Amino acid sequence: AQSVTQLDSHVSVSEGTPVLLRCNYSSSYSPSLFWYVQHPNKGLQLLLKYTSAATLVKGINGFEAEFKKSETSFHLTKPSAHMSDAAEYFCVVTYNNAGNMLTFGGGTRLMVKP
Amino acid sequence: EPEVTQTPSHQVTQMGQEVILRCVPISNHLYFYWYRQILGQKVEFLVSFYNNEISEKSEIFDDQFSVERPDGSNFTLKIRSTKLEDSAMYFCASRAFVGQPPGNEQFFGPGTRLTVL
């Protein structure tokens, strides 16, 4: 069965410092991987996705993630945090190329201090 | 920008009552989904729906659950006889059909928080 582990339930950074949110997935066939963000009282918004093209994926709002097959990882990074980045982040995997069932990680709450 | 909407935002019900959660997917989308997140737990897949039938469902989606697309715009999740453990945030999502590329994005609604007393 597919699974995703987000290694930190909470991450706290200061505004202007780098962000690293860690994600590991179980390895069975070729995955499609996503990062979604959820701001309070909002739906889940796609930040970026990996679908077996370039291993370094750039997303919205300055976020990027690198797919590392040898480490089964898909960590999310941003060079400089902004207050508006404070939200819940979900790493998500699907192994079905038709894009059906998504499997979510447990989520990481990012807090940004002024 | 088109978005998925869900109503109500919060539903409170008594155990044993039936509830219907409503979703309006993005208008040209053809795949529809329900997920749920129990407080403090992961978001879990419930069911996917395409061409007026269920295409995939999880073990959670038992006989107490049903989905329907009653008209051209709404997609509903019905829980026949709610239990305390059905209390969760329920998310609807939709996806456009664009052939068979991998990693088609699912667009999510803001969720309905269901509280069963």
Side-chain angles (χ1 to χ4, degrees):
Chain A
Q2 56 198 43
S3 68
V4 181
T5 302
Q6 290 182 245
L7 296 152
D8 306 294
S9 58
H10 294 81
V11 169
S12 181
V13 301
S14 297
E15 191 174 21
T17 63
V19 175
L20 170 64
L21 306 183
R22 297 181 294 166
C23 171
N24 287 94
Y25 64 92
S26 64
S27 177
S28 300
Y29 312 112
S30 297
S32 292
L33 291 152
F34 309 80
W35 277 97
Y36 280 85
V37 61
Q38 185 181 29
H39 291 276
N41 302 316
K42 299 284 188 184
L44 294 153
Q45 180 188 19
L46 182 69
L47 274 181
L48 49 80
K49 64 183 179 184
Y50 166 76
T51 57
S52 76
T55 56
L56 182 62
V57 181
K58 292 189 186 299
I60 61 171
N61 300 335
F63 284 94
E64 61 182 40
E66 186 171 7
F67 173 72
K68 291 188 176 179
K69 187 174 180 179
S70 59
E71 298 175 11
T72 60
S73 70
F74 190 59
H75 301 333
L76 182 72
T77 60
K78 182 173 180 177
S80 176
H82 192 272
M83 296 296 291
S84 61
D85 294 328
E88 185 96 18
Y89 291 80
F90 295 95
C91 183
V92 181
V93 67
T94 182
Y95 291 100
N96 182 337
N97 280 346
N100 262 353
M101 185 181 83
L102 299 182
T103 298
F104 281 73
T108 299
R109 181 162 297 280
L110 176 65
M111 293 167 283
V112 182
K113 298 176 289 190
Chain B
E1 186 175 324
E3 57 182 19
V4 177
T5 59
Q6 291 185 243
T7 54
S9 57
H10 193 186
Q11 171 103 38
V12 181
T13 189
Q14 296 289 326
M15 192 168 56
Q17 295 296 305
E18 173 183 285
V19 295
I20 297 176
L21 309 183
R22 291 184 167 80
C23 169
V24 179
I26 294 172
S27 64
N28 64 341
H29 285 189
L30 298 177
Y31 289 87
F32 313 112
Y33 306 83
W34 284 101
Y35 294 82
R36 79 171 185 191
Q37 184 180 30
I38 294 170
L39 190 64
Q41 298 185 24
K42 292 186 178 186
V43 176
E44 303 169 289
F45 168 78
L46 292 178
V47 66
S48 60
F49 191 85
Y50 171 70
N51 199 25
N52 281 321
E53 61 182 27
I54 291 172
S55 53
E56 197 170 359
K57 62 181 181 179
S58 71
E59 292 176 355
I60 303 166
F61 195 87
D62 61 21
D63 291 344
Q64 292 298 312
F65 292 89
S66 62
V67 289
E68 193 178 29
R69 188 152 163 82
D71 52 42
S73 59
N74 289 282
F75 178 53
T76 62
L77 174 69
K78 182 194 289 186
I79 308 175
R80 260 180 274 282
S81 177
T82 50
K83 308 185 199 66
L84 295 175
E85 54 264 36
D86 293 328
S87 295
M89 180 74 90
Y90 288 80
F91 293 103
C92 173
S94 70
R95 179 170 71 92
F97 177 69
V98 285
Q100 292 290 321
N104 265 341
E105 177 184 355
Q106 293 183 24
F107 291 81
F108 284 81
T112 293
R113 181 163 296 285
L114 176 65
T115 302
V116 182
L117 303 176

